[in-house]
Amino acid sequence: MAESEVARHGRIDLASHGFAVKTEGPQMAEIQEVWIFHGANAKFASGVFRDKAEAVRWIEEGGLTGVLTKYPVGISVYEWAVERGHHKPQSVKDVTPEFVARFSSAAQEHMHFENGSSH
């Protein structure tokens, strides 16, 4: 990838370099939720999907172990849970940056997988 391409256009045309670029489907502004797969013992998520069925198929085909969770787009899970009454801060600790950064909610739709099978 030529540096001049970045300098000229401020971006790289990935399709011209052989990368598959998906042009159909909803634009990010239209996406209200995504499904994120977090593998067992992984520090970071390994898959993000617009469609639950697409995510499940990928997990099953790969024989993966972990959790598939639906996340809202454009809002933190903490704010989402508070707005919907799934979480009520009980102490000052419950609003600290550390707490908010680690927050997850059992109210989020999710599925557990072991070796590609949900349970």
Side-chain angles (χ1 to χ4, degrees):
M1 292 180 236
E3 288 181 4
S4 59
E5 182 178 357
V6 176
R8 278 194 318 258
H9 304 291
R11 61 184 175 79
I12 297 172
D13 179 3
L14 294 175
S16 69
H17 291 283
F19 290 93
V21 178
K22 214 172 191 181
T23 56
E24 68 227 24
Q27 299 298 314
M28 281 303 290
E30 299 171 1
I31 297 174
Q32 300 297 310
E33 62 196 31
V34 292
W35 289 88
I36 297 180
F37 180 75
H38 192 102
N41 301 315
K43 287 189 177 188
F44 302 102
S46 56
V48 179
F49 302 87
R50 288 185 292 240
D51 181 70
K52 180 181 178 181
E54 180 183 10
V56 169
R57 186 171 39 258
W58 177 73
I59 294 165
E60 290 173 345
E61 288 175 0
L64 306 178
T65 298
V67 180
L68 178 65
T69 307
K70 182 166 80 172
Y71 281 84
V73 172
I75 186 171
S76 71
V77 172
Y78 181 87
E79 292 167 312
W80 176 87
V82 169
E83 285 180 8
R84 284 160 182 78
H86 299 302
H87 175 71
K88 292 181 179 135
Q90 301 294 314
S91 70
V92 175
K93 171 187 83 64
D94 292 352
V95 297
T96 63
E98 293 82 11
F99 184 85
V100 173
R102 290 190 321 267
F103 185 83
S104 63
S105 174
Q108 289 172 267
E109 187 176 343
H110 63 282
M111 299 174 69
H112 295 265
F113 289 85
E114 189 168 328
N115 301 317
S117 296
S118 63
H119 51 91

